Amino acid sequence: MFEFREHGGMLWEIRPLESPDELFGASIAYGLFDEPVAEHGALQIAAEHLRRELSRPLELPDGVYVPSIDVEAHPALLAIRVRGRRDAIEAVQRRWHAVFEQATVDPATPMAPLPPLATPGWQADLAVRAPGTGPLLSALGAPAPGAAARAETLLRELSPRARRHRCLLTVSDPSLMSVIDWPPAPAAPRPDAPPTPFAERPGNGFGAVHSPLDDLLWTQLLPRTPDGFAALQVVRGAAEREITAIAPRGRDGRPTVVQISTLTLARDLLVRVATDAPLTIPQRRQLVERLVTAPMPYADPLLRDAVAAAEQTDLHGFARLDRLFGAPPAPAPSIAGVRAALAQASRTTHLKLPRIAPVLGGDPAAATSDLPFLVAPIDAIPRQRFGSVLPKQRLRTIGEHVGVLGLDGAKLVDATPRAFGDPAARAGREGVDLDRLIAVYTSNADGGAETSPTGRPDILMLVDDRLRHLTIVPALFARRGRLERLLEERTAGAPRIHSPGLAPSAAALTAIARKQRRTSAVLYGVAAVMVGGVLALAIGQAIEERSRPTEPVRHETGTAVELDHGTTVTVESIEREPEGAPDGVNVATVEYCAGEGGHGGALGTEEWFEPANFRMWRGAVELDRMIAGLEREVDPHRMWANTCEVGTIAYLDGGDGELYVVFENADGHMARWNAPPGE
């Protein structure tokens, strides 16, 4: 039986154990969402320091003893649990104040890993819901500069007897409350006002957040109350029913699996609705209408069953969080309360969708620009341009990477030419606001933190406070020196964080740029020694060679072509106006199998399934690629090593002659597949 008591000016929870062990712990009301983005990593480093210090072997009368220690950083709190023999628990308590208040943190201390249910997940969503907080950068895994020093100061602030933050102490035996002294509360106690629920904060209303499609469909907020818990059961059942009706099977043909998870905040539950495979934009829009914007009223018997389930569930965890955060006790669940919680979920839903404008002749349901997007794209008219060393036809093969930059005041945007219909071309310019940067992640091609031979990093990822980002490889740009000087000047105030995970992209793209520069140098050298008509002929041939790709090897559809590192590409079929496609549209079905060059593999150079690398031709006319809202339509995405995926790519038909598809990537691999006669 759980019990709460006041003792020594502190709030205590009595939680008896059935085992012979005893328990001592603390929940401190300072979590990941309380950490400013400039201090990212400090709390996790502090948690790791506490775990190491509290895990030190104890010299007890009968020998050495090591208690069980858990220290976890959660979105709204820091949780510490010590379990073991009674004399070991008392020994830990006697060291308790010193561990916090006399902490000396080793600068090499790593960030403590986050428990699975505390992982923030969709960072772009958090940039809207909780702007300026540390979890925005958690996906990159590197702490902000100075995080270890901040962790040392933070530990002193987190000391329970300092009373800087609310704290709930837990023991298995009431007598453990008196092992150490707790000084009286300060004369001017902290305010008792509980934190404002996220559902009542700016940035948490209904709308879409521009993001690539993946397994996640949307997030929404429920109150962390018995009513919210009951509403969660209703959300789970409705999502499973509607999603499996609209998308009974995933792209691989297996039954769709619906995944509902929650992130516990101080006074909210952040609910994440996902499937085991991405759904199309038309499917997502249909689900949103059925479940969020225009749902059928939920029947009273259904809500009554959800209330009964909540009443039969032990929600002591909710009650202890109410005590910790000073929130009033929640009322018992009711049908009216569940309806109110479901209404809150609808009005706080954030949809995960790319911003896509309609295409003439395409499926209107595949567009998203009519939805309210919560973060506006960078609106810029570039007045300064940084062009690429790559010729135009090669720019279309570098996937999502930036090949051309435009600058308009503080707005730096991706101005790379994209294929017609490419989501990147129609979603508004990708870019960042240089006046609102929160971090600059850097690396060199070898993954090292030291500067490259140029004296500057080989790759930079610029991130602003809305989590808009640009990844720039300076070697790809013709005016590299000027660009690097501009970046140094305009990013001087943002923290620079070493991120070895950027190294594979840096290595691959700098090698491509180096090869292109050598090719250009040879062409210019040949031109320099030629004279008269021979000079004109050489230049003409050079220009022709650079503008016309090498004739690729021809294959029949269904033939697999092997690239480097075990990667294979297959165009399985080329069809004119297949079933389900709009009139005048051709569809290629392609398979991409990433070998060791895939993400997580040994080399990581062929990890992108990039539709822009597949170009369809009708005779001498290249056809425009488009988004047609077809099943399994390919969006640019990263592939894990040694995995395969099949998808479709649509093109607007036109011209006369033979129909065929050409594949070309940034490494210079080319292949051609001919459509069957009559297509």
Side-chain angles (χ1 to χ4, degrees), residues 360-375:
L360 183 64
D363 181 0
T368 63
S369 55
D370 60 314
L371 294 168
F373 275 82
L374 299 172
V375 178

Side-chain angles (χ1 to χ4, degrees), residues 29 67 94 243 312 386 419 484 586:
R94 285 190 287 270
I243 291 173
Q312 296 168 12
F386 292 90
E484 288 179 323
N586 301 331

